[in-house]
Amino acid sequence: MEKRYTILVTNDDGYEAKGLLALKNILQTIVDVEVIVVAPANEKSACGHSLTLVRPLRFISVDDDFYKLDDGTPTDCIYLSLSTMFEETKPDLVISGINRGSNMGEDITYSGTAAGAMEGVLHGIPSIAISQVMDFTNPDGDFSLAQKTIKSLVEKIKSGTFPLPEREFLNINIPPDVEEAEIKVTYAGYRHYENDSHVHRNPRGEEYHWLGLHPLSFSPRKGVSTMSDFEAIEQGHISITPIMLDLSAYKSINQLQEWIDG
């Protein structure tokens, strides 16, 4: 019997997130695809590429081929799944998402969604992170364009090849409030950050802080003809960015050597 095409799915919004369920449901409509979901039991947004090393982790079955990892991160979900469920044969593809909110520019370094895909490519598995840019005053969100996009891309990958080399993954951002959009290949733009936090006091007078949300503002990179992920979203396009895990600043190596030698 021919092996079915297997997709391992995770996210950082938690196992009950509507984006995750929308992703699972659309992938299950693809012919000859097996979908296995391993997601955090709790929301782990902005956890980055973190592993849990100070306590044990436990799979909890939610449904057939659907598990939550008790207090695990997206990285834990992929790492532990590969060492337990996929000891003999790796999945064909890892998909992390559909995230509620964008993951563009340097936000990728914070993103648990991106981290799920990072962990996949570290183990030699083609991987995708997908996020839905949205208005957070809308508690539900519309994932239909994201569903259509990921289905089309997975079918293309399944019938051919993954378009990137090892240790690179696809980071996809879907524009809000549109039913159709053109795909633009982009680079990760420069995000503007502010120290936005809010101080409060509990009934005992003890001070605590909530981290705020940064405005979605950016700068394009000078001398680059390709549009950034921010620009693509701003113009109503789907952004798809190849991301590599090599963080070395190659252009600065000679300059650093000269500084050391001087």
Side-chain angles (χ1 to χ4, degrees):
M1 181 177 178
E2 187 176 349
K3 175 186 174 294
R4 298 182 75 192
Y5 191 89
T6 304
I7 303 176
L8 176 58
V9 170
T10 194
N11 76 339
D12 74 357
D13 290 326
Y15 77 102
E16 295 179 300
K18 292 182 179 179
L20 175 75
L21 301 179
L23 175 61
K24 176 180 76 74
N25 291 340
I26 197 65
L27 293 177
Q28 288 176 331
T29 67
I30 302 175
V31 176
D32 292 329
V33 163
E34 179 182 16
V35 179
I36 298 176
V37 179
V38 181
N42 311 106
E43 182 174 349
K44 292 291 181 178
S45 295
C47 68
H49 194 196
S50 58
L51 277 171
T52 300
L53 302 177
V54 295
R55 61 182 178 275
L57 297 166
R58 184 168 63 102
F59 290 105
I60 300 172
S61 178
V62 178
D63 202 346
D64 292 341
D65 294 330
F66 192 156
Y67 303 89
K68 62 180 179 179
L69 194 61
D70 192 21
D71 205 29
T73 67
T75 303
D76 291 329
C77 291
I78 300 302
Y79 183 98
L80 199 55
S81 296
L82 295 179
S83 65
T84 56
M85 302 178 189
F86 298 95
E87 287 181 281
E88 298 181 1
T89 304
K90 293 180 180 179
D92 297 286
L93 186 65
V94 166
I95 304 180
S96 185
I98 302 168
N99 187 66
R100 184 172 177 267
S102 65
N103 278 302
M104 300 186 289
E106 292 91 344
D107 278 358
I108 294 168
T109 63
Y110 291 113
S111 170
T113 302
M118 289 179 190
E119 191 63 23
V121 295
L122 281 178
H123 294 274
I125 305 165
S127 301
I128 300 171
I130 180 167
S131 302
Q132 173 65 61
V133 183
M134 61 196 313
D135 178 359
F136 281 94
T137 61
N138 179 356
D140 297 320
D142 181 5
F143 297 98
S144 56
L145 179 58
Q147 286 180 304
K148 184 186 301 184
T149 302
I150 196 66
K151 181 178 181 181
S152 173
L153 291 172
V154 169
E155 288 176 335
K156 186 176 180 67
I157 293 166
K158 180 174 176 286
S159 63
T161 58
F162 191 68
L164 301 179
E166 290 186 354
R167 294 186 181 236
E168 294 185 13
F169 68 93
L170 296 175
N171 186 52
I172 302 169
N173 282 275
I174 306 294
D177 305 323
V178 293
E179 295 181 0
E180 299 289 340
E182 184 180 357
I183 293 177
K184 296 290 186 180
V185 176
T186 61
Y187 68 88
Y190 289 157
R191 178 76 187 268
H192 296 167
Y193 290 96
E194 299 176 5
N195 288 328
D196 181 24
S197 63
H198 304 270
V199 61
H200 301 273
R201 291 186 181 277
N202 67 19
R204 294 184 174 86
E206 297 167 327
E207 187 175 282
Y208 66 93
H209 299 263
W210 276 103
L211 299 186
L213 291 174
H214 301 288
L216 197 60
S217 59
F218 65 95
S219 295
R221 184 176 300 184
K222 295 179 181 178
V224 180
S225 57
T226 305
M227 70 172 58
S228 71
D229 44 13
F230 293 100
E231 291 171 297
I233 292 299
E234 191 174 58
Q235 296 175 28
H237 302 305
I238 296 165
S239 166
I240 182 167
T241 309
I243 300 295
M244 66 181 192
L245 273 61
D246 186 349
L247 301 180
S248 305
Y250 290 102
K251 292 181 179 180
S252 298
I253 288 177
N254 291 338
Q255 177 183 330
L256 178 57
Q257 186 62 59
E258 291 173 2
W259 181 81
I260 294 293
D261 294 341

